[in-house]
Amino acid sequence: MDVISGADTAWMIVATALVLFMTLPGLALFYGGLVRSKNVLSVFVQCFALAGVMSLLWVLYGYSLAFGNGGGLQWAIGGFDNVLLRNVTVDSVSGTIPESLFLAFQMTFAIITPALIVGAFAERMKFKGMMMFSVLWFTFSYLPICHMAWSGEGALFHGWNVLDFAGGTVVHVNAGIAGLITCIMLGRRSGYPTEVMRPHNLPFAVMGAGMLWVGWFGFNAGSELAADGTAAMALLVTHLAAATAAVVWMLVEMSLHGKASALGIATGAVAGLVAITPASGTVGPLGAIVIGAASALACFYFATKVKHQFGYDDSLDVFGVHGIGGIVGALLTGVFAAKQFGGSEDIVVSTQVIAQAKSLVVTAVWSGVVSIVAFRLVDLLVGMRVPIEVERGGLDVSEHQEQAYEIV
């Protein structure tokens, strides 16, 4: 019989609050500072609205489909046994914590994942289209990938022995691929890439990145679902990966341009946090440092070179940081989780890397297909892109009838 641990419960209440803090206000400030002043409120509203809608959907059917028993479809999706949480009571237990707390913690992941996608199409998508797309994507991409990775026996990734401690595939690659698809299908912002589109408030962005860094301790260490040594090590390696990636990004900028930028060091830290996510429960400090450095180099290349080479307008580098960082982290988890490299797992590295790669392929294809179909459907129903004159005037006024700053 499962027995509730007071220590585990107290820690998980804190971790749940930290992960929600990542979206509100962390991600909202990070993204809001990176867009132009005429669009900052649109980003804030999108993050807040998604927090509300995804919470309700999680209670309505999300938790049941993500973590329930799917019968013959158990490899891909759960069932409807817990619709409206009808079997969750004050006495329900999940491991050593109340089930209500477990589902609340997982709810915060369901909130931030679609919110991450917002950065890819920032400054040009209709609010109504964004909300409808997010509902469809959450239902048909987030919930199945979450189930495959975390629901346990019978699920696809579990059968392959994939290591994804806190969401490399579920959150970052899943959202990163959706971001790449939507920004390509939506088209470039008016004036991109010839017009200069500087972030309107870098202090917002740096503060938001700092909040994400702190909140990520709940994201990764909380995924142990207990107050123990694994959670403590997850916190340590999370910090080391972020610190390493921030320093590497800074050094690359100084080498190439002679100066380190606030935007660069903040983005580097996020790249490290993304990459350590799947590895945080299984790697040691050495692995964290290598993963952080590798992610910084890969994400820098994609965000500054590949995006411009291929001409897609990933506004805030969702694919370049979350997609690429998630891929790097997931693959290197298969290496540095091994005991011979300071990790905690008895694994054959080549076999584990293949398993990790298979999960990445499934996630990318699944998210890509769902994103294309959802985009086309919503575009037919309400249209996805605002008119060009609306885009030039800014989404704050056109979509929300508000302005962030009064001109005096």
Side-chain angles (χ1 to χ4, degrees):
M1 181 178 178
D2 291 332
V3 178
I4 289 178
S5 162
D8 293 348
T9 299
W11 159 236
M12 290 308 300
I13 289 172
V14 173
T16 300
L18 285 171
V19 182
L20 181 61
F21 181 72
M22 290 173 69
T23 303
L24 302 174
L27 187 68
L29 280 170
F30 184 57
Y31 279 177
L34 295 177
V35 297
R36 290 168 288 182
S37 59
K38 61 187 178 181
N39 296 311
V40 57
L41 290 181
S42 71
V43 172
F44 283 8
V45 173
Q46 287 169 2
C47 288
F48 265 82
L50 286 170
V53 171
M54 295 306 148
S55 297
L56 294 175
L57 294 182
W58 188 250
V59 169
L60 179 60
Y61 61 83
Y63 176 66
S64 186
L65 289 177
F67 290 96
N69 189 333
L73 293 175
Q74 178 66 13
W75 67 274
I77 197 69
F80 293 96
D81 292 346
N82 256 331
V83 166
L84 283 174
L85 308 184
R86 59 189 178 191
N87 294 315
V88 179
T89 70
V90 70
D91 298 317
S92 301
V93 180
S94 177
T96 59
I97 63 175
E99 186 178 8
S100 57
L101 181 54
F102 171 74
L103 74 88
F105 179 68
Q106 293 297 338
M107 180 193 295
T108 60
F109 283 67
I111 288 169
I112 197 170
T113 307
L116 291 174
I117 306 171
V118 165
F121 50 69
E123 304 194 297
R124 60 200 191 274
M125 186 180 285
K126 292 180 180 178
F127 180 74
K128 185 185 296 184
M130 183 278 302
M131 290 304 303
M132 292 176 66
F133 171 85
S134 297
V135 169
L136 291 171
W137 186 86
F138 163 82
T139 304
F140 296 104
S141 188
Y142 180 80
L143 295 180
I145 298 299
C146 177
H147 181 85
M148 290 180 204
W150 290 338
S151 65
E153 190 172 349
L156 186 63
F157 294 175
H158 183 272
W160 291 344
N161 296 314
V162 173
L163 300 175
D164 188 356
F165 190 71
T169 54
V170 180
V171 177
H172 299 295
V173 177
N174 206 2
I177 294 297
L180 178 64
I181 295 295
T182 51
C183 78
I184 291 173
M185 295 182 72
L186 196 62
R188 304 174 185 177
R189 286 169 290 179
S190 174
Y192 181 89
T194 55
E195 182 181 326
V196 177
M197 299 180 180
R198 291 191 179 92
H200 93 283
N201 194 324
L202 278 174
F204 269 17
V206 174
M207 284 190 292
M211 291 173 183
L212 287 170
W213 192 330
V214 173
W216 228 290
F217 295 146
F219 200 87
N220 287 354
S223 291
E224 170 64 0
L225 304 175
D228 61 13
T230 298
M233 182 59 77
L235 186 149
L236 173 62
V237 299
T238 296
H239 181 74
L240 288 175
T244 302
V247 170
V248 169
W249 198 295
M250 175 186 72
L251 293 175
V252 170
E253 283 192 330
M254 292 176 69
S255 174
L256 295 177
H257 310 301
K259 299 181 186 297
S261 70
L263 176 58
I265 198 167
T267 304
V270 173
L273 292 163
V274 168
I276 197 61
T277 294
S280 53
T282 54
V283 303
L286 173 63
I289 291 170
V290 175
I291 288 172
S295 180
L297 293 172
C299 292
F300 181 89
Y301 181 69
F302 270 81
T304 63
K305 304 295 182 184
V306 174
K307 179 172 74 170
H308 300 294
Q309 180 179 348
F310 288 93
Y312 59 88
D313 185 11
D314 179 3
S315 305
L316 309 182
D317 295 310
V318 175
F319 175 70
V321 173
H322 293 276
I324 297 302
I327 291 169
V328 169
L331 291 174
L332 291 181
T333 298
V335 177
F336 291 98
K339 286 187 174 180
Q340 62 263 40
F341 295 111
S344 61
E345 303 297 303
D346 287 312
I347 55 174
V348 177
V349 169
S350 58
T351 302
Q352 190 62 48
V353 170
I354 291 171
Q356 302 296 111
K358 287 164 62 178
S359 72
L360 290 172
V361 171
V362 170
T363 301
V365 172
W366 195 292
S367 181
V369 171
V370 170
S371 299
I372 292 169
V373 173
F375 187 100
R376 290 296 186 201
L377 179 60
V378 176
D379 198 30
L380 286 172
L381 292 174
V382 299
M384 290 293 274
R385 182 156 186 163
V386 298
I388 191 68
E389 61 273 12
V390 169
E391 182 184 340
R392 288 173 178 163
L395 301 188
D396 289 358
V397 173
S398 65
E399 294 289 290
H400 309 292
Q401 295 186 332
E402 295 173 306
Q403 285 181 276
Y405 310 104
E406 292 292 334
I407 300 175
V408 294

